[in-house]
Amino acid sequence: MEKHLFLAGHTACYGCGEALGARLVVDAAGPNIITTDATGCLEVFSSRWPQSAWAVPFIHSLFENSAAVASGVEAALKALGRQGEAKVIAQGGDGGTADIGLQCLSGMFERGHDILYVCYDNEAYMNTGVQRSGLTPYDSDTRTSPFGKVSWGNRYLKKDMPAIAAAHGVPYIATASVAYPKDVQAKVKKALSITGPKYIQVHVPCPLGWKSDPALTIKVAKLAVETGLYPIFEMENGVVTKVRKIPRPAKPVGEYLKLQGRFAHLFKKGGGEGEVKKIQQIADENIKKYGLLSEAAEKVAVEAEKE
Amino acid sequence: MARTFTEGSKAVAETVKLCRPNVIAAYPITPQTHISEELAQMVANGELKAEYVTVESEFAAASVVLGASATGARSYTATSSQGLLLMTEVLFNISGMRLPVVMTCANRAISSPINIWNDQQDSISVRDAGWVQLYAEDIQEASDLHLQAFRIAEHPEVLLPVMVCMDGFILTHAYEPVDLIEQKEADAFLPPYQPQYYLTPKNPITFGAMMGPESYMEARCQLDRALCGSTRIVEEVAKEFKKRFGRFQGALVDTYCIEGAEIVLVAMGSVISTIKEAIDLLRKEGVKVGLLKVRCFRPFPREAIKEALVGAREVLAIDRAFSPGSGGVLATEIRASLQDVKKAPEIKGHIAGLGGREISVETIINIVKDRKSVGIEDRFVDLKEALLK
Amino acid sequence: MKVILGGLAQPATSLANNTGTWRNYIPVFLQKTCTGCTMCAIVCPEGCVYSVEKRKFTFDAKYCKGCGMCAAECPVDDIEMVMEEK
Ligand SMILES: Cc1ncc(C[n+]2csc(CCOP(=O)(O)OP(=O)(O)O)c2C)c(N)n1
Ligand code: SF4
Ligand code: SF4
Ligand code: SF4
Ligand SMILES: [Mg+2]
């Protein structure tokens, strides 16, 4: 088998995007790292005693303190003169990052710790059985934002985490998707070459929570990008320096939504078209804001080839 | 050894400095603030080579020292009251991961009503967090305890966090002459921390794994055994400290005038000094009264307490905190400790000095003299009944 | 398995866990049209796909959960998912 730093035998569901994401991240980072993780699916499926899927030093403490524990790790390395020994990578799910762990993350950013924070964004609290988080997309059907007679699902828009990181002056911020594994890895490597706090948010489909076919994890992730719903970009020193262009014309959001049970109600219940339109609007705004559309369809095809 | 007239917080900070902590993280809260300010200044002056992490909350402070300790750094934090409660979740994690963090708790009441003054409701409320808890009687002891605390925490048979509890304001803000140890002597007493397991690519171990019904109980039992076993180390360290520095204020417990005492007062913290004064006066009057000072509250030194109280007719426990709906915590634990003793003394609980209400020498004398009218149930001492009508 | 202080776990020990037993479908690497693009190995969430030769890939049945991602992503349809006989 290939040599990995995040190993088989973990207990994630079939086709779990988060398991793939974590492996891509640590493999790219290499063995000389120390990782922290928040409570959530990743921690549970990777470190069920007496086993561990981690071949790198790993610490899980609580749901909301991954960034603060990492701050302590980094401070200790400095104090002990061991900075050269390892880079620090803090990890968390979207809930552990954007909701309950946001304060610790803000502290880590603001103090300028030399830490790469990776958020595995599967767009809900999956470990506790699919409840909405601040990164759950609009109209998504979760156990705490269920669709019902008078509800279309989650009423709120995704929290803009990259902007929050940027407001802290974080020098390197990127979004990525497991649909583009080499891009994820390139961004991790680039981030680790920069001193100071870094933030990477990786879109990681959750077949269980999204009610999607596990075999289609990559396809679903790709469609999120190609519809404009999940813009992939890099931000350096507060400026967007690179975006992943998407083929022109962008795919309609329906193509993405229809593959997932969490949006199925939009296509069953009368009036759903209006909601789909609203989601299309979100995608259109992203496309405009980040300039996602490619000049020509061919150029993107060439880029895709390189992936 | 140098004697200086100094503030309690400053004395503690000076001793923490002697311990050469690698990482410090703390968040301001009265009455702890002076300690972390002093340490920040020492770092700023270059006198103390430590990473001082200016965290955004106590929750983060505890999390930072957790991460630092797991990376092999000697780590220190300090807090009070709301700050300690905000740390609660992390406190359990630190002990569960067997990390020898040391903390000062400048004891303060708990909101609501918000109150910045002293009692011990904060540390007592986290008594089940799996930390060693030591209570200081005066500034000298508070200061000395920190050097001992790191030794106890880092002992390979213990590997548990230690909380040094000192009464807020009464000890943190008071000035007293204090003997400070020389760095060389401190280094000889407390060698550098050498963890067996820590976060390093050299041995990429996993901390904080999930344990199920098949092993969780054993992990918890292991923690309990280490905590119970630490009584021996607390004693050993106190004795060695005495040998090196000539000071001894008790190990697990200490006693005062307990020989032939019919009535024994039991308490923790700064009220001990007040009780000693009261005893001196009462003894002059011929009242056979003595004192048992509980210095180590966790692990609860059941045997030492039993031994000290066995001959007494009456035990008067003074609690500066309580468990609403149940009573004084010290009183309750003493009752439990003596339940298998034949002809056990009668144990009476007193809840006193909450939220900074003074416990004076007179209060203590009243507690002793009033003893016949006191019921079995723990009572609130010096209550202003008029405010309750 | 003795409980090490603080419930520590040894690194890379999940390999003892036989997640292959979860499987209903199993991939068949046809090894006919494979271009050696490595996509199957990259996307497998178990990281259990590997190459034996430049254009010959296979997987470790001890861990494969049968999710079908490798087959779905193979650009030349050189992997098939079939119901596993047990
Ligand atoms: C303080 C606290 N509150 C709630 C929980 C329960 N809890 C554990 S994981 C989790 C959700 C995790 O969601 P996310 O961070 O998105 O990670 P995911 O499982 O989706 O990967 C929750 C609510 C907890 N462990 N601690
Ligand atoms: S619930 Fe979702 S995120 Fe969690 S292990 Fe399963 S697929 Fe992965
Ligand atoms: S079916 Fe899934 S688990 Fe099995 S080898 Fe393919 S990608 Fe990996
Ligand atoms: S994805 Fe298909 S073509 Fe590419 S290496 Fe795997 S089997 Fe070969
Ligand atoms: Mg999530």
Side-chain angles (χ1 to χ4, degrees):
Chain A
M1 248 180 13
E2 304 270 325
K3 265 213 151 205
H4 294 298
L5 295 172
F6 180 80
L7 290 141
H10 64 73
T11 55
C13 310
Y14 305 75
C16 173
E18 193 166 79
L20 171 56
R23 197 192 78 227
L24 293 170
V25 168
V26 292
D27 275 357
N32 295 326
I33 54 173
I34 294 175
T35 57
T36 71
D37 186 24
T39 309
C41 272
L42 175 60
E43 159 265 324
V44 170
F45 67 63
S46 70
S47 60
R48 178 67 162 86
W49 189 90
Q51 296 170 353
S52 171
W54 302 91
V56 290
F58 172 88
I59 182 167
H60 155 254
S61 169
L62 295 164
F63 186 19
E64 63 276 39
N65 68 359
S66 185
V69 171
S71 301
V73 171
E74 186 249 21
L77 290 177
K78 252 196 211 161
L80 299 168
R82 283 167 43 198
Q83 293 108 306
E85 183 183 297
K87 306 248 181 202
V88 185
I89 300 183
Q91 311 171 94
D94 47 298
T97 302
D99 294 343
I100 198 165
L102 186 58
Q103 182 174 321
C104 285
L105 182 59
S106 170
M108 181 203 110
F109 283 161
E110 172 251 335
R111 292 187 299 268
H113 290 280
D114 188 18
I115 297 169
L116 165 60
Y117 191 101
V118 180
C119 168
Y120 299 106
D121 183 11
N122 57 19
E123 306 193 314
Y125 302 154
M126 296 313 178
N127 187 43
T128 38
V130 198
Q131 299 85 18
R132 80 164 291 279
S133 81
L135 294 190
T136 298
Y138 185 71
D139 273 357
S140 185
D141 176 29
T142 76
R143 299 300 293 267
T144 52
S145 62
F147 95 91
K149 259 194 190 143
V150 295
S151 161
W152 286 107
N154 183 43
R155 285 181 292 155
Y156 310 106
L157 299 178
K158 271 177 92 81
K159 205 182 272 193
D160 190 350
M161 280 304 294
I164 291 173
H168 286 78
V170 171
Y172 182 80
I173 297 158
T175 57
S177 164
V178 287
Y180 310 101
K182 284 181 183 159
D183 182 55
V184 173
Q185 298 201 308
K187 283 171 174 165
V188 167
K189 285 191 177 131
K190 182 167 177 183
L192 290 176
S193 75
I194 295 165
T195 309
K198 285 82 61 176
Y199 179 76
I200 300 181
Q201 184 170 305
V202 191
H203 201 217
V204 290
C206 162
L208 185 102
W210 296 10
K211 302 194 189 79
S212 55
D213 181 346
L216 300 188
T217 287
I218 299 292
K219 185 173 183 197
V220 169
K222 212 168 254 175
L223 277 168
V225 176
E226 291 178 348
T227 52
L229 281 173
Y230 213 94
I232 302 294
F233 58 88
E234 280 176 294
M235 235 175 165
E236 284 163 273
N237 303 309
V239 189
V240 175
T241 48
K242 215 171 171 190
V243 300
R244 168 169 286 274
K245 296 286 183 179
I246 60 176
R248 179 187 290 266
K251 300 225 163 94
V253 294
E255 264 188 52
Y256 171 63
L257 304 176
K258 275 183 185 155
L259 291 178
Q260 304 167 65
R262 62 176 174 159
F263 296 113
H265 56 290
L266 302 180
F267 302 97
K268 280 190 206 134
K269 195 170 146 189
E273 320 78 49
E275 291 303 303
V276 174
K277 253 192 204 151
K278 284 188 206 163
I279 297 172
Q280 185 61 57
Q281 232 167 40
I282 296 169
D284 292 346
E285 275 164 29
N286 282 340
I287 289 170
K288 221 167 88 190
K289 181 175 170 194
Y290 293 100
L292 295 178
L293 281 187
S294 66
E295 304 299 320
E298 310 85 73
K299 213 175 135 201
V300 176
V302 172
E303 266 185 37
E305 191 76 15
K306 276 193 266 167
E307 258 297 329
Chain B
M1 197 145 346
R3 170 159 291 209
T4 45
F5 187 74
T6 185
E7 194 204 32
S9 297
K10 175 118 192 331
V12 165
E14 288 292 345
T15 310
V16 169
K17 180 179 126 188
L18 292 174
C19 299
R20 298 187 189 275
N22 304 113
V23 175
I24 299 169
Y27 191 80
I29 183 167
T30 306
Q32 170 280 127
T33 312
H34 287 186
I35 301 172
S36 46
E37 286 173 352
E38 285 292 343
L39 288 165
Q41 191 63 57
M42 291 168 181
V43 174
N45 293 349
E47 297 160 30
L48 171 56
K49 290 214 167 21
E51 281 297 311
Y52 188 100
V53 186
T54 50
V55 282
E56 73 288 349
S57 75
E58 288 89 351
F59 178 82
S63 302
V64 164
V65 293
L66 181 154
S69 184
T71 312
R74 182 171 285 162
S75 308
Y76 170 81
T77 183
T79 192
S80 294
S81 183
Q82 311 307 126
L84 187 66
L85 294 196
L86 190 58
M87 286 182 177
T88 310
E89 211 191 347
V90 194
L91 300 181
F92 283 75
N93 241 249
I94 291 173
S95 63
M97 288 193 212
R98 307 296 299 276
L99 300 172
V101 169
V102 168
M103 174 204 290
T104 312
C105 174
N107 287 109
R108 162 182 155 180
I110 293 291
S111 177
S112 162
I114 190 163
N115 175 299
I116 60 164
W117 293 274
N118 167 249
D119 66 33
Q120 293 165 347
Q121 192 68 53
D122 47 5
S123 54
I124 289 295
S125 297
V126 297
R127 66 186 186 274
D128 298 338
W131 287 52
V132 173
Q133 282 195 357
L134 306 171
Y135 286 77
E137 166 183 348
D138 54 27
I139 294 175
Q140 183 69 61
E141 185 176 27
S143 156
D144 291 347
L145 268 176
H146 286 82
L147 208 52
Q148 299 182 28
F150 276 109
R151 267 287 297 272
I152 296 163
E154 292 169 6
H155 193 287
E157 282 171 40
V158 180
L159 286 176
L160 282 169
V162 177
M163 191 183 298
V164 177
C165 303
M166 64 190 292
D167 285 321
F169 290 112
I170 301 173
L171 298 184
T172 54
H173 288 54
Y175 280 72
E176 268 175 27
V178 180
D179 286 331
L180 287 173
I181 291 160
E182 302 290 335
Q183 185 67 61
K184 245 192 6 223
E185 296 174 290
D187 290 344
F189 182 77
L190 179 67
Y193 172 42
Q194 273 171 332
Q196 190 186 354
Y197 296 105
Y198 60 98
L199 291 166
T200 170
K202 288 180 206 149
N203 178 21
I205 204 112
T206 287
F207 276 76
M210 182 188 211
M211 283 183 148
E214 80 294 340
S215 56
Y216 179 85
M217 258 183 91
E218 284 69 25
R220 296 297 290 168
C221 167
Q222 203 178 48
L223 169 96
D224 185 58
R225 285 185 184 172
L227 194 51
C228 291
S230 71
T231 51
R232 197 175 62 77
I233 312 303
V234 171
E235 284 180 316
E236 209 177 273
V237 170
K239 276 183 205 149
E240 196 192 321
F241 190 89
K242 183 185 175 188
K243 221 164 76 194
R244 278 178 189 269
F245 308 112
R247 286 194 295 276
F248 182 81
Q249 292 183 277
L252 300 169
V253 299
D254 200 13
T255 56
Y256 185 72
C257 296
I258 205 157
E259 286 299 282
E262 289 172 1
I263 306 162
V264 180
L265 288 145
V266 189
M268 307 194 287
S270 62
V271 74
I272 295 296
S273 311
T274 317
I275 295 175
K276 284 178 179 169
E277 272 183 58
I279 288 178
D280 290 346
L281 294 173
L282 287 162
R283 281 271 173 178
K284 270 185 206 148
E285 287 178 28
V287 185
K288 287 191 181 144
V289 58
L291 162 72
L292 174 68
K293 157 181 164 180
V294 177
R295 187 172 176 266
C296 175
F297 179 69
R298 278 293 179 274
F300 197 70
R302 226 167 266 159
E303 288 310 312
I305 285 174
K306 217 152 101 175
E307 204 179 302
L309 296 181
V310 132
R313 177 162 50 81
E314 205 165 29
V315 170
L316 307 176
I318 297 177
D319 269 293
R320 235 175 173 144
F322 72 113
S323 174
S326 174
V329 174
L330 195 53
T332 306
E333 301 228 5
I334 289 168
R335 283 185 193 115
S337 304
L338 296 182
Q339 46 91 25
D340 60 347
V341 171
K342 273 189 203 130
K343 280 208 208 144
E346 191 178 348
I347 299 149
K348 291 171 179 174
H350 304 79
I351 296 157
L354 300 188
R357 174 141 323 162
E358 195 195 358
I359 306 180
S360 63
V361 173
E362 211 185 345
T363 312
I364 303 296
I365 292 176
N366 285 341
I367 286 173
V368 174
K369 291 203 166 158
D370 263 350
R371 65 189 192 280
K372 295 221 167 57
S373 65
V374 175
I376 284 295
E377 272 160 41
D378 305 350
R379 60 157 200 171
F380 287 85
V381 173
D382 282 348
L383 260 199
K384 295 178 183 168
E385 290 294 345
L387 290 183
L388 290 168
K389 264 172 203 150
Chain C
M1 178 66 59
K2 192 174 172 273
V3 177
I4 320 176
L5 231 55
L8 296 174
Q10 297 291 352
T13 39
S14 63
L15 289 173
N17 200 11
N18 193 350
T19 54
T21 56
W22 301 16
R23 200 168 48 227
N24 295 316
Y25 291 88
I26 187 162
V28 180
F29 284 70
L30 303 173
Q31 300 176 340
K32 282 183 189 152
T33 52
C34 174
T35 61
C37 74
T38 74
M39 203 49 169
C40 49
I42 292 172
V43 301
C44 171
E46 316 311 314
C48 71
V49 176
Y50 60 100
S51 67
V52 274
E53 275 170 39
K54 203 156 181 232
R55 291 190 176 80
K56 221 181 213 178
F57 280 68
T58 188
F59 70 106
D60 191 333
K62 183 173 177 194
Y63 306 112
C64 166
K65 292 172 186 165
C67 69
M69 273 169 71
C70 52
E73 292 311 311
C74 175
V76 292
D77 292 334
D78 202 28
I79 308 169
E80 255 176 37
M81 297 302 294
V82 297
M83 181 77 93
E84 189 176 16
E85 307 271 334
K86 280 193 188 164

